[in-house]
């Protein structure tokens, strides 16, 4: 397998669902994002050790995200179990899922090669466990990466396609974006001007928490020829001028238990109105997207990179659930 060096930027983004079946009955903590993160890296270490080491130690750009293990129970039951840290049962007759997003284009063929290698080895032929999450062993039944999958959590795109979509979609006077915060989300905040009170975890998806963070992710991940498409100053000024406001929400404070501490945050849905200033901004070669177009682009990027704190460990899993054409 080829070793990843210092890539100039990813070509594509991928969101995959891995369908898993437990090898035997047991239980697992309801929020297992840290465990899934560790399990994915451990599997990669066996299948592609150079890639796993590079992801874990050699690069701080968070080039993938992992969900918690998803149980086949109602959302209400899952939320209550997470809140109280009540372990949930595993049934070998049922299917469970975990979601992986790959934010570097070269990772997908390497992941595919590693999967094929697993299934052509003696381990794969004997249907040995694919992954261990905590103390529980799982077989792999299926990998889904399809823009039309009924779950609504898989797909693929490219940075160029995100830009093209933002340029060609006609925006009304008010463009509504509704984001579902499906797993616990929070923002690790600190006052950069002074440290009198220390940092804190913000538990509301205010525009100035959400979108500047997505700008940073775009600029970290996008190829050099596209990184300038999104400009922090314009997005921050648009937010400061109340160009984007929260017009509706269904949010609830939430908490999950990690291995060493309890984490506070929120889940739910939030609707943002992206408002026109009247006369639409001019675009130039240096700034080919208006501030509104940049906001819409970032909302789509969030499906792959997540929002907020610890997105590589199950938190901040989001999707755009409604968008006016």
């Amino acid at each position: 397998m080829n070793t990843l060096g210092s890539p100039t930027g990813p070509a594509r983004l991928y969101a995959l669902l891995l369908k898993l079946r437990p090898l035997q009955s047991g239980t697992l903590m309801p929020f297992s994002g840290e465990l899934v993160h560790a399990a994915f890296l451990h599997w990669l270490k066996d299948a592609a050790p150079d890639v796993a080491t590079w992801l874990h130690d050699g690069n701080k750009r968070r080039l993938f995200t992992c969900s918690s293990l998803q149980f086949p129970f109602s959302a209400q039951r899952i939320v209550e179990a997470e809140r109280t840290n009540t372990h949930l049962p595993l049934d070998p007759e049922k299917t469970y899922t975990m979601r992986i997003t790959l934010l570097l284009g070269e990772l997908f063929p390497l992941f595919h090669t590693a999967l094929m290698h697993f299934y052509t080895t003696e381990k794969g032929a004997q249907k040995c466990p694919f992954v261990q999450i905590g103390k529980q062993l799982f077989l792999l039944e299926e990998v889904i990466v399809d823009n039309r999958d009924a779950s609504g959590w898989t797909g693929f795109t490219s940075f160029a396609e995100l830009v093209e979509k933002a340029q060609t979609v006609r925006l009304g006077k008010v463009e509504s974006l509704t984001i579902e915060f499906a797993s616990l989300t929070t923002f690790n905040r600190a006052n950069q001007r002074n440290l009198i009170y220390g940092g804190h975890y913000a538990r509301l998806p205010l525009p100035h928490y959400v979108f500047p963070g997505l700008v940073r992710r775009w600029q970290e991940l996008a190829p050099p020829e596209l990184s300038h498409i999104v400009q922090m100053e314009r997005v921050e000024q648009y937010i400061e001028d109340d160009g984007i406001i929260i017009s509706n929400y269904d949010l609830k404070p939430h908490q999950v238990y990690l291995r060493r501490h309890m984490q506070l945050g929120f889940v739910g849905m939030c609707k943002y109105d992206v408002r026109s200033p009247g006369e639409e901004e001019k675009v130039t070669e240096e700034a080919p997207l208006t501030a509104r177009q940049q906001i819409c682009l970032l909302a789509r990027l969030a499906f792959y990179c997540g929002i907020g704190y610890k997105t590589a460990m199950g938190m901040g899993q989001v999707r755009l659930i409604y968008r006016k054409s």
Side-chain angles (χ1 to χ4, degrees):
M1 181 166 294
N2 296 326
T3 302
L4 287 171
S6 300
T8 58
R12 301 193 71 81
L13 300 160
Y14 295 90
L16 308 92
L17 278 185
L18 280 61
K19 289 191 173 183
L20 306 173
R21 190 176 293 270
L23 208 59
Q24 60 186 21
S25 299
T27 65
L28 195 68
M29 59 194 303
F31 184 85
S32 54
E34 287 182 305
L35 299 178
V36 170
H37 175 269
F40 178 62
L41 282 179
H42 183 77
W43 177 80
L44 263 184
K45 185 177 180 180
D46 285 344
D50 47 358
V51 180
T53 300
W54 184 77
L55 283 177
H56 187 268
D57 299 325
N59 196 290
K60 303 302 181 184
R61 289 159 61 204
R62 293 173 293 154
L63 296 175
F64 68 96
T65 75
C66 295
S67 73
S68 185
L69 186 73
Q70 303 299 297
F71 293 82
F73 303 133
S74 69
Q76 182 178 356
R77 181 178 177 184
I78 297 296
V79 167
E80 183 58 31
E82 288 180 345
R83 180 176 294 278
T84 59
N85 199 26
T86 302
H87 285 216
L88 294 170
L90 295 170
D91 183 347
E93 299 301 315
K94 294 182 178 179
T95 299
Y96 302 75
T97 61
M98 70 181 195
R99 181 176 185 257
I100 304 291
T101 70
L102 305 176
L103 308 178
L104 180 72
E106 291 92 327
L107 285 176
F108 183 76
L110 293 174
F111 178 71
H112 181 269
T113 299
L115 278 177
M116 293 302 99
H117 175 73
F118 174 80
Y119 277 111
T120 56
T121 61
E122 186 176 348
K123 279 186 179 181
Q126 295 176 355
K127 290 192 175 183
C128 286
F130 170 73
V131 71
Q132 179 174 337
I133 302 175
K135 296 181 180 180
Q136 306 301 328
L137 299 173
F138 293 83
L139 301 172
L140 178 64
E141 290 193 333
E142 188 179 3
V143 178
I144 302 172
V145 51
D146 187 340
N147 283 324
R148 296 167 295 181
D149 184 66
S151 71
W153 285 104
T154 66
F156 55 89
T157 189
S158 70
F159 284 87
E161 288 169 355
L162 289 174
V163 172
E164 182 181 1
K165 182 71 172 177
Q167 288 175 320
T168 57
V169 171
R170 296 180 61 185
L171 302 179
K173 186 174 182 180
V174 175
E175 186 71 12
S176 295
L177 303 171
T178 301
I179 295 178
E180 176 186 1
F181 297 87
S183 69
L184 183 106
T185 304
T186 193
F187 303 91
N188 191 3
R189 303 287 296 180
N191 187 330
Q192 300 303 318
R193 290 174 292 182
N194 63 66
L195 299 175
I196 295 174
Y197 300 105
H200 72 285
Y201 292 106
R203 304 177 70 184
L204 288 172
L206 301 178
H208 65 279
Y209 294 160
V210 172
F211 292 97
L214 290 171
V215 173
R216 285 189 288 272
R217 293 301 280 147
W218 176 273
Q219 294 177 343
E220 289 168 353
L221 297 167
E225 66 273 16
L226 295 177
S227 61
H228 73 285
I229 295 287
V230 177
Q231 296 109 24
M232 181 68 81
E233 296 80 6
R234 292 181 70 190
V235 169
E236 288 184 327
Q237 188 63 55
Y238 182 75
I239 294 170
E240 185 177 338
D241 292 340
D242 290 332
I244 179 170
I245 60 171
I246 293 174
S247 59
N248 204 350
Y249 58 88
D250 181 12
L251 299 167
K252 297 178 181 178
H254 190 41
Q255 64 189 36
V256 301
Y257 287 80
L258 307 180
R259 286 182 291 180
R260 293 184 176 88
H261 68 280
M262 181 180 70
Q263 179 65 59
L264 300 177
F266 64 90
V267 292
M269 299 183 189
C270 190
K271 179 181 177 182
Y272 301 89
D273 280 354
V274 185
R275 305 192 291 176
S276 169
E279 183 178 346
E280 197 63 77
E281 300 172 77
K282 304 295 184 183
V283 297
T284 65
E285 186 174 342
E286 294 75 23
L289 294 182
T290 68
R292 293 210 302 155
Q293 289 173 325
Q294 291 181 41
I295 292 289
C296 293
L297 178 153
L298 293 171
R300 293 182 179 277
L301 174 69
F303 178 73
Y304 295 93
C305 70
I307 287 176
Y309 183 57
K310 285 189 179 293
T311 55
M313 297 186 180
M315 293 171 55
Q317 298 265 311
V318 304
R319 60 180 171 179
L320 191 61
I321 64 169
Y322 172 75
R323 189 174 184 286
K324 187 172 60 178
S325 301

